[in-house]
Amino acid sequence: RKWRGAAAVGSAESAHRAAGAMALKTGKVGTKGKKQIFEENKETLKFYLRIILGANAIYGAVNLFLFYSSVTFWTWGLLAFALVVYSFSYRWMQGMAHPV
């Protein structure tokens, strides 16, 4: 055997290991199909819709039944404004959920 400098062998070996480490991927990549992603997006949108409607229904019910005497026009106006903002946000998420 011919002796090569330790620095030359070590650096070539290190470079090879670094390249191999960079190429390794963990887990399964790209295993979800478009249909599965679309179905998950639909379920997520359903969840958000229920949260939006539930939160606004609770807010409206509390204001209507517990704080009826102190509720003003602005209370209902801000609720309507929140519903508009929620609906635009929901539509935006709905647009992003469709497959390309």
Side-chain angles (χ1 to χ4, degrees), residues 45-91:
L45 283 172
K46 256 195 248 183
F47 172 75
Y48 284 135
L49 182 62
R50 289 177 183 152
I51 294 296
I52 289 169
L53 295 176
N56 282 301
I58 290 170
Y59 178 81
V62 166
N63 277 317
L64 185 63
F65 297 117
L66 294 179
F67 301 112
Y68 183 73
S69 60
S70 62
V71 171
T72 64
F73 166 77
W74 293 108
T75 305
W76 300 116
L78 289 174
L79 176 63
F81 177 72
L83 281 168
V84 169
V85 170
Y86 285 146
S87 65
F88 280 124
S89 300
Y90 182 79
R91 291 289 183 179

Side-chain angles (χ1 to χ4, degrees), residues 5 22 27 37 39 42-43 53 72 80 82 86 88:
M22 298 283 274
I37 292 171
E39 291 300 319
K42 263 181 27 178
E43 291 300 316
L53 295 176
T72 64
Y86 285 146
F88 280 124

Side-chain angles (χ1 to χ4, degrees), residues 27-34 36-37:
K28 293 183 178 180
V29 179
T31 56
K32 288 185 181 180
K34 286 183 181 182
Q36 182 183 1
I37 292 171

